[in-house]
Amino acid sequence: MRLSGLQKDVLSLYRQCLRECRKKPEATRKHFQTFARDEFEKSIKLDKRDFSAIEFLLRKGRRQLEMYASPGVKDIRK
Protein backbone atom coordinates (compact mmCIF):
# COMPACT_ATOMS: atom_id res chain seq x y z
CA MET A 1 0.00 0.00 0.00
CA ARG A 2 1.37 3.39 -0.99
CA LEU A 3 1.09 6.22 1.49
CA SER A 4 0.34 9.82 0.63
CA GLY A 5 2.68 12.61 1.64
CA LEU A 6 0.48 13.59 4.58
CA GLN A 7 0.24 10.00 5.78
CA LYS A 8 4.02 9.78 5.71
CA ASP A 9 4.23 13.03 7.68
CA VAL A 10 1.83 11.70 10.31
CA LEU A 11 3.77 8.45 10.69
CA SER A 12 7.03 10.37 10.84
CA LEU A 13 5.68 12.60 13.62
CA TYR A 14 4.49 9.53 15.55
CA ARG A 15 7.92 7.91 15.25
CA GLN A 16 9.57 11.13 16.42
CA CYS A 17 7.27 11.15 19.44
CA LEU A 18 8.21 7.59 20.32
CA ARG A 19 11.92 8.39 19.91
CA GLU A 20 11.58 11.33 22.28
CA CYS A 21 9.83 9.06 24.79
CA ARG A 22 13.00 6.98 24.98
CA LYS A 23 14.92 10.03 26.18
CA LYS A 24 12.65 10.51 29.20
CA PRO A 25 13.25 8.92 32.62
CA GLU A 26 12.39 5.23 32.78
CA ALA A 27 9.78 5.80 35.47
CA THR A 28 7.76 8.27 33.38
CA ARG A 29 8.42 6.98 29.87
CA LYS A 30 5.12 5.08 29.78
CA HIS A 31 3.21 8.32 30.52
CA PHE A 32 4.72 9.96 27.44
CA GLN A 33 4.01 6.93 25.24
CA THR A 34 0.41 6.76 26.42
CA PHE A 35 -0.06 10.50 25.88
CA ALA A 36 1.32 10.30 22.32
CA ARG A 37 -0.83 7.28 21.45
CA ASP A 38 -3.97 8.91 22.89
CA GLU A 39 -3.35 12.15 20.99
CA PHE A 40 -3.03 10.28 17.69
CA GLU A 41 -6.03 8.05 18.39
CA LYS A 42 -8.23 11.11 18.97
CA SER A 43 -7.98 11.85 15.25
CA ILE A 44 -8.07 8.33 13.86
CA LYS A 45 -11.58 8.76 12.45
CA LEU A 46 -10.61 11.94 10.61
CA ASP A 47 -11.28 11.76 6.87
CA LYS A 48 -7.94 11.32 5.12
CA ARG A 49 -9.03 13.86 2.50
CA ASP A 50 -9.52 16.59 5.12
CA PHE A 51 -6.15 18.11 4.34
CA SER A 52 -6.56 21.35 6.27
CA ALA A 53 -7.49 19.53 9.49
CA ILE A 54 -4.61 17.07 9.09
CA GLU A 55 -2.12 19.85 8.42
CA PHE A 56 -3.41 21.76 11.45
CA LEU A 57 -3.03 18.69 13.67
CA LEU A 58 0.48 18.06 12.30
CA ARG A 59 1.52 21.62 13.20
CA LYS A 60 -0.06 21.25 16.64
CA GLY A 61 1.67 17.91 17.15
CA ARG A 62 5.06 19.29 16.15
CA ARG A 63 4.66 22.19 18.59
CA GLN A 64 3.70 19.79 21.38
CA LEU A 65 6.63 17.51 20.54
CA GLU A 66 9.02 20.45 20.65
CA MET A 67 7.65 21.49 24.03
CA TYR A 68 7.66 18.01 25.59
CA ALA A 69 11.08 17.17 24.13
CA SER A 70 12.61 19.82 26.37
CA PRO A 71 15.01 18.25 28.91
CA GLY A 72 13.21 20.09 31.71
CA VAL A 73 9.99 18.14 31.10
CA LYS A 74 10.29 14.98 33.17
CA ASP A 75 6.69 13.77 33.34
CA ILE A 76 3.35 14.26 31.64
CA ARG A 77 -0.09 13.56 33.03
CA LYS A 78 -3.59 14.14 31.79
Side-chain angles (χ1 to χ4, degrees):
M1 179 169 100
R2 290 182 46 135
L3 299 176
S4 72
L6 276 178
Q7 288 172 323
K8 289 177 184 177
D9 289 346
V10 170
L11 289 173
S12 173
L13 178 60
Y14 187 68
R15 284 193 304 269
Q16 287 175 337
C17 290
L18 295 180
R19 283 188 203 110
E20 285 300 323
C21 289
R22 289 188 224 133
K23 298 177 184 177
K24 298 300 178 183
E26 184 74 34
T28 61
R29 193 172 296 164
K30 191 72 173 165
H31 298 155
F32 284 95
Q33 291 170 340
T34 302
F35 178 79
R37 182 177 299 118
D38 290 346
E39 287 296 306
F40 277 86
E41 285 179 354
K42 284 180 190 176
S43 305
I44 202 156
K45 297 283 188 207
L46 193 64
D47 183 9
K48 65 182 178 181
R49 292 169 294 197
D50 192 353
F51 303 119
S52 60
I54 295 169
E55 289 170 350
F56 169 78
L57 290 169
L58 278 169
R59 286 191 303 273
K60 178 183 172 193
R62 288 182 185 123
R63 283 192 309 268
Q64 283 182 317
L65 176 61
E66 184 179 324
M67 184 174 60
Y68 293 133
S70 169
V73 178
K74 301 290 184 200
D75 195 4
I76 189 170
R77 301 270 173 128
K78 285 191 167 185

